[in-house]
């Protein structure tokens, strides 16, 4: 199993600013996944973060907008850059071991 | 068309009723997950299935690989079961594909 600590749990940000979300896992994992959940929608994969290499981004997501760090096998950050109201969503990190484990989510509101 | 289809989209039940949520998928999979999301946004893994049936407390999950279909049952439903239930499948590769979710409301 895995326990993921994600923070912040929520934030209200001004447009044009950036927010960095952190996820700490209590065990070493090869891949960490970052998801976005827009209001009323299901989860959309933003990128897969591997330690020691650049993240792999899904179609529609770019590194300049969502830079990711993965300095070791237990930690990752996702930055939402130059935010606009359209970035208001829940952002979640996830790992898979024997099951899928998720952080508590970051509820972001951009005003 | 989404690879993963859930039904119903919304469900309201009286406390004590038996609830069934269905999930159909269109690709070959190695595993299927049932997830629970509460209003705060956090997601909890309920089950991971690759075949057969699993039970945990009042929750039962079944999967039929040949028919590409899974069901999640909640017996003796309770207001604390009110949440969004999400089906996710792992197809070819390492990524999960998610259903749109079923919003369950259980009234006391």
């Amino acid at each position: 199993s895995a326990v993921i600590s994600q923070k912040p749990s929520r934030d209200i940000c001004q447009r044009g600013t950036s927010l960095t979300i952190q996820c700490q896992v209590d065990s070493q994992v090869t891949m960490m996944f970052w998801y976005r959940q827009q209001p009323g929608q299901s989860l959309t994969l933003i990128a897969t973060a591997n330690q020691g290499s650049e993240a792999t981004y899904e179609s529609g997501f770019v590194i300049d907008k969502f830079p990711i760090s993965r300095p070791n096998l237990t930690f990752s950050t996702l930055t939402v850059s130059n935010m606009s109201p359209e970035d208001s969503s829940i952002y979640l990190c996830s790992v898979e071991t024997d099951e899928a484990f998720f952080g508590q989510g970051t509820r972001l509101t951009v005003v | 068309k989404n690879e993963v289809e859930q039904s119903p989209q919304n469900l309201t039940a009286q406390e004590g009723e038996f609830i069934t949520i269905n999930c159909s998928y269109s690709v070959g999979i190695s595993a299927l997950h049932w997830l629970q999301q509460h209003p705060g946004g956090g997601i909890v893994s309920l089950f991971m299935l690759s075949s057969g049936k699993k039970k945990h407390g009042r929750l039962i999950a079944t999967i039929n690989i040949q028919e590409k279909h899974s069901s999640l049952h909640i017996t003796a439903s309770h207001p604390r079961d009110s949440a969004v239930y999400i089906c996710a499948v792992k197809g070819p590769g390492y990524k999960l594909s998610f259903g749109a979710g079923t919003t369950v409301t259980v009234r006391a």
Side-chain angles (χ1 to χ4, degrees), chain B residues 60-79:
Chain B
I60 303 167
T62 64
I63 188 168
N64 185 318
I65 296 294
Q66 288 72 30
E67 295 186 2
K68 294 185 169 61
H69 181 269
S70 177
S71 294
L72 176 69
H73 306 286
I74 305 174
T75 63
S77 59
H78 189 276

Side-chain angles (χ1 to χ4, degrees), chain A residues 10 31 33 35 37 41-43 45 48 56 58 90 92 96 98-105 107, chain B residues 33 35 37-48 54 86 90 94-96 98-101:
Chain A
R10 57 176 62 231
M31 289 192 286
F33 303 94
Y35 293 96
Q37 187 179 31
Q41 305 290 318
S42 193
L43 283 75
L45 181 64
T48 304
T56 302
E58 297 300 302
I90 297 174
L92 297 117
E96 292 180 38
D98 50 337
E99 294 185 9
F101 298 92
F102 293 83
Q104 300 93 326
R107 187 179 292 272
Chain B
H33 299 260
L35 310 169
Q37 185 172 33
H38 281 280
I43 293 176
V44 174
S45 175
L46 299 176
F47 295 103
M48 187 182 75
K54 287 189 176 180
I86 301 169
K90 177 170 283 189
Y94 58 86
K95 302 175 196 175
L96 290 176
F98 295 85

Side-chain angles (χ1 to χ4, degrees), chain A residues 82-99:
Chain A
N82 188 24
M83 288 184 284
S84 67
E86 292 71 35
D87 295 319
S88 297
S89 294
I90 297 174
Y91 292 85
L92 297 117
C93 60
S94 174
V95 301
E96 292 180 38
T97 56
D98 50 337
E99 294 185 9

Side-chain angles (χ1 to χ4, degrees), chain A residues 62-84:
Chain A
V62 294
I63 187 171
D64 290 347
K65 176 67 175 177
F66 297 101
I68 287 171
S69 78
R70 185 82 200 275
N72 57 54
L73 291 173
T74 64
F75 186 79
S76 180
T77 68
L78 170 77
T79 299
V80 186
S81 302
N82 188 24
M83 288 184 284
S84 67

